[in-house]
């Protein structure tokens, strides 16, 4: 094609709203990947758009230990001791690169790191469902378990965090990350959890908080989430998703307490496949498995078992990914 031809093609594709930058997408850094038991590596991810410098925190179970690990692994090449001064590189990522948090639900393994580090955090917004924000206000930032670093609730308000509860299903902008989000409700063994659908330009990414399967939760929430994501896949917008698989298939269904096993996740993903255009429509979809519960039984390796059980039943052709603390991936 001639120069003139390329120019015309670019103008036409821009006019159609098509992305002309093939590398546009998201970067995800895992700050913590486990679903409890041992502090220091609890559920927390960072996401940013490739055309932005600042991140959104997706849950905050372990924050500073995860940033330390990610710096060791070279996941923040833009941060050096020189350009962090007077902060440490860890402090610079924590205070300056994380511009906002989304908290999926009020369980400790999703926000302990944020609470513990809050005295040294910079001002930033926290987003969540009304139920989650209410839990933060009533049960954490209440001067009984911790000083009130938020801008609302009881006693003196220190004001580090602006608490925001956007309406479910309604698009809103996520602070200075440049990302937009829509929150969808999830059922999690008696409490409300949520999924955040992140978007930027013409790309989207889904982050699921803890969730049980609809069949066991007697809920339609995952079904509604799959319907929304099915449309994203049809429109070729969805770059990937993060979802939990807490327990192996050997765990009895009455002991899941609102969590998924490999068999249940595969069963649920079949519903997504239906909404995404039927057989084969999930081929190559990147699905990060998070929130595996570590075992203290000698010789047990739930991570290896869950990986094997997911691959064995993977007739969908999904690309299951297992991030370790400190890893970064492009989507
Ligand atoms: Zn959890
Ligand atoms: Zn939970």
């Amino acid at each position: 094609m001639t120069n003139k031809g390329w120019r015309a093609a670019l103008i036409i594709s821009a006019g159609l709203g098509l992305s002309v930058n093939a590398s546009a997408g998201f970067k995800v850094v895992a700050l913590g990947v486990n679903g409890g038991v041992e502090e220091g590596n609890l559920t927390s991810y960072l996401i940013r758009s490739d055309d932005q410098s600042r991140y959104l925190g997706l849950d905050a179970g372990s924050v500073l230990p995860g940033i330390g690990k990610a710096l060791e692994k070279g996941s923040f090449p833009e941060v050096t001791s020189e350009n962090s001064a007077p902060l440490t590189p860890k402090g610079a990522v924590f205070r300056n690169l994380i511009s906002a948090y989304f908290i999926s639900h009020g369980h400790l393994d999703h926000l302990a790191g944020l609470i513990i580090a809050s005295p040294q955090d910079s001002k930033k917004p926290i987003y969540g469902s009304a139920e989650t924000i209410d839990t933060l206000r009533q049960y954490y930032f209440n001067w009984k378990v911790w000083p009130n670093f938020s801008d609302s609730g009881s006693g003196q308000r220190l004001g580090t965090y602006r608490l925001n509860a956007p309406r479910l299903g309604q698009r809103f902008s996520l602070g200075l990350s440049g990302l937009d989000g829509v929150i969808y409700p999830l059922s999690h063994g008696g409490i409300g959890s949520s999924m955040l659908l992140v978007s930027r330009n013409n790309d989207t990414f889904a982050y699921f908080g803890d969730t049980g399967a609809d069949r066991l939760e007697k809920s339609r929430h995952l079904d509604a989430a799959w319907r929304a994501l099915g449309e994203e896949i049809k429109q070729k917008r969805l770059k990937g998703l993060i979802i939990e698989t807490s327990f192996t298939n050997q765990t009895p269904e009455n002991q899941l307490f609102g969590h998924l096993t490999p068999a249940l996740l595969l069963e649920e993903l079949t519903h997504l496949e239906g909404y995404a255009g039927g057989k084969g429509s999930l081929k190559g979809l990147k699905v990060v498995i998070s929130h595996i519960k570590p075992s203290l039984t000698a010789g047990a390796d739930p991570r290896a078992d869950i990986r094997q059980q997911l691959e064995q039943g993977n007739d969908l052709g999904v690309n299951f990914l297992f991030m370790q603390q400190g890893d970064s991936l492009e989507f």
Side-chain angles (χ1 to χ4, degrees):
M1 207 187 286
T2 61
N3 249 349
K4 220 171 158 184
W6 273 116
R7 229 180 98 80
L10 284 174
I11 289 165
I12 290 164
S13 56
L16 292 172
L18 300 173
S19 172
V20 287
N21 179 1
S23 73
F26 302 102
K27 176 182 173 183
V28 170
V29 182
L31 298 187
V33 302
N34 288 337
V37 183
E38 192 167 315
E39 71 274 23
N41 189 4
L42 299 171
T43 306
S44 179
Y45 296 85
L46 300 183
I47 187 168
R48 77 165 189 206
S49 168
D50 284 345
D51 67 355
Q52 298 288 304
S53 57
R54 288 195 256 204
Y55 290 89
L56 166 73
L58 299 167
D59 280 334
S62 298
V63 178
L64 287 171
I67 293 172
K69 198 80 184 180
L71 282 164
E72 266 171 50
K73 288 189 172 180
S75 293
F76 299 112
E78 70 273 41
V79 180
T80 63
S81 312
E82 292 73 48
N83 67 21
S84 299
L87 298 168
T88 61
K90 213 188 221 186
V93 173
F94 176 63
R95 289 177 59 94
N96 303 338
L97 281 192
I98 304 178
S99 63
Y101 288 97
F102 165 75
I103 303 296
S104 66
H105 65 298
H107 281 159
L108 260 183
D109 55 326
H110 297 256
L111 45 76
L114 167 86
I115 304 281
I116 287 293
S118 56
Q120 298 214 17
D121 209 348
S122 57
K123 277 194 188 230
K124 58 192 67 166
I126 297 178
Y127 301 92
S129 68
E131 182 178 344
T132 303
I133 292 300
D134 194 54
T135 299
L136 267 172
R137 191 184 286 132
Q138 271 200 57
Y139 299 101
Y140 292 100
F141 291 130
N142 60 8
W143 290 104
K144 290 194 175 108
V145 301
W146 205 247
N148 183 2
F149 283 95
S150 86
D151 64 345
S152 65
S154 54
Q156 191 197 345
R157 297 158 183 177
L158 299 171
T160 304
Y161 301 115
R162 197 170 73 244
L163 301 183
N164 294 281
R167 296 227 341 226
L168 298 176
Q170 212 159 80
R171 195 177 169 125
F172 61 98
S173 85
L174 288 149
L176 298 174
S177 66
L179 301 167
D180 284 345
V182 178
I183 301 176
Y184 292 82
L186 298 173
S187 306
H188 176 38
I191 78 154
S193 175
S194 50
M195 179 269 268
L196 180 71
L197 183 62
V198 167
S199 61
R200 169 87 186 166
N201 303 327
N202 213 27
D203 298 320
T204 60
F205 188 94
Y207 174 74
F208 286 78
D210 295 356
T211 179
D214 275 355
R215 180 166 62 76
L216 300 178
E217 297 281 318
K218 312 224 176 325
S219 166
R220 302 291 290 164
H221 283 153
L222 268 179
D223 190 68
W226 298 140
R227 215 173 320 142
L229 294 191
E231 194 53 36
E232 294 300 311
I233 292 170
K234 276 188 181 162
Q235 304 296 327
K236 303 199 184 321
R237 287 194 292 251
L238 190 71
K239 294 284 186 175
L241 60 97
I242 299 175
I243 193 165
E244 71 137 277
T245 305
S246 295
F247 297 109
T248 66
N249 286 341
Q250 280 67 48
T251 315
E253 288 188 346
N254 64 3
Q255 279 169 48
L256 295 177
F257 307 106
H259 291 292
L260 295 172
T261 61
L264 289 170
L265 176 60
L266 289 163
E267 181 184 322
E268 285 291 346
L269 286 175
T270 308
H271 302 158
L272 172 60
E273 187 185 49
Y275 292 124
K279 266 263 153 286
S281 56
L282 301 191
K283 256 205 170 64
L285 176 67
K286 292 176 176 170
V287 176
V288 176
I289 300 302
S290 80
H291 205 267
I292 293 170
K293 298 259 187 196
S295 168
L296 297 178
T297 304
D301 187 351
R303 177 167 287 263
D305 293 346
I306 284 171
R307 189 173 201 147
Q308 191 256 330
Q309 291 171 357
L310 279 170
E311 288 308 342
Q312 202 164 44
N314 188 7
D315 302 327
L316 304 159
V318 162
N319 182 8
F320 289 117
L321 300 167
F322 293 79
M323 297 181 82
Q324 299 279 7
Q325 186 175 40
D327 287 352
S328 73
L329 272 181
E330 294 286 339
F331 290 86

